[in-house]
Amino acid sequence: MRKMSGTLVLYLLFFSAISFSTILGGRQMPKLSEKKLCADEECSHPISMAVALDDYFPSDCRFIPIQRGQIIYVFSKLKGRGRLFWAGSVQGNYYSEQEAHIGFFPSSIVEETQLLLPGTVEVPTNKWDFYCQ
């Protein structure tokens, strides 16, 4: 068997690493805020349910697409400079219609229809809040 040149090996390793990171993919995006309001310390319980008043097409992967009339479960509300954005999950017509995905959306495109738990627990945001996959 022939020996591979060092350059070829480095080339293969480099492109394998790029492919691997693309598959597992992800990138850190700028923080929208330093703090958020949640129903609990883990932000695992929804604060409220809201209905979309308009369609929303996200500008980047931190945000979720929303169609007018969809129900959104609101899990957190950003504070400070990001206070115009909430994080939630869209509920489709059927549970299996789409994969559950939590992302941000402008609070101005929804109307809260049902309060579930008080969103009074202030929690610092972390890098995973703004991580894109």
Side-chain angles (χ1 to χ4, degrees):
M1 213 182 242
R2 248 174 64 188
K3 280 178 116 177
M4 282 199 239
S5 73
T7 305
L8 181 59
V9 171
L10 286 175
Y11 177 79
L12 290 173
L13 286 173
F14 175 74
F15 283 102
S16 295
I18 288 175
S19 298
F20 187 71
S21 69
T22 302
I23 291 168
L24 293 179
R27 66 182 186 269
Q28 189 65 45
M29 299 295 286
K31 276 188 165 189
L32 297 171
S33 178
E34 295 297 322
K35 296 188 182 212
K36 59 187 176 181
L37 289 175
C38 300
D40 60 283
E41 290 289 327
E42 293 80 32
C43 297
S44 60
H45 295 284
I47 296 169
S48 63
M49 292 172 63
V51 65
L53 302 174
D54 206 354
D55 291 344
Y56 175 68
F57 302 99
S59 57
D60 65 48
C61 58
R62 293 172 293 184
F63 300 90
I64 56 173
I66 296 174
Q67 294 176 358
R68 183 177 184 198
Q70 284 185 307
I71 303 298
I72 298 112
Y73 287 92
V74 179
F75 284 87
S76 67
K77 298 177 179 182
L78 295 180
K79 290 190 66 173
R81 63 188 167 121
R83 70 185 174 281
L84 302 178
F85 297 103
W86 295 352
S89 178
V90 174
Q91 176 64 51
N93 294 334
Y94 301 100
Y95 289 107
S96 63
E97 182 179 311
Q98 63 189 43
E99 183 179 323
H101 178 74
I102 293 179
F104 293 100
F105 57 91
S107 59
S108 61
I109 66 152
V110 301
E111 179 182 338
E112 282 184 295
T113 55
Q114 184 175 359
L115 296 176
L116 301 173
L117 290 171
T120 56
V121 179
E122 189 173 293
V123 179
T125 58
N126 60 50
K127 69 178 185 175
W128 300 112
D129 288 320
F130 309 104
Y131 189 78
C132 289
Q133 295 195 34

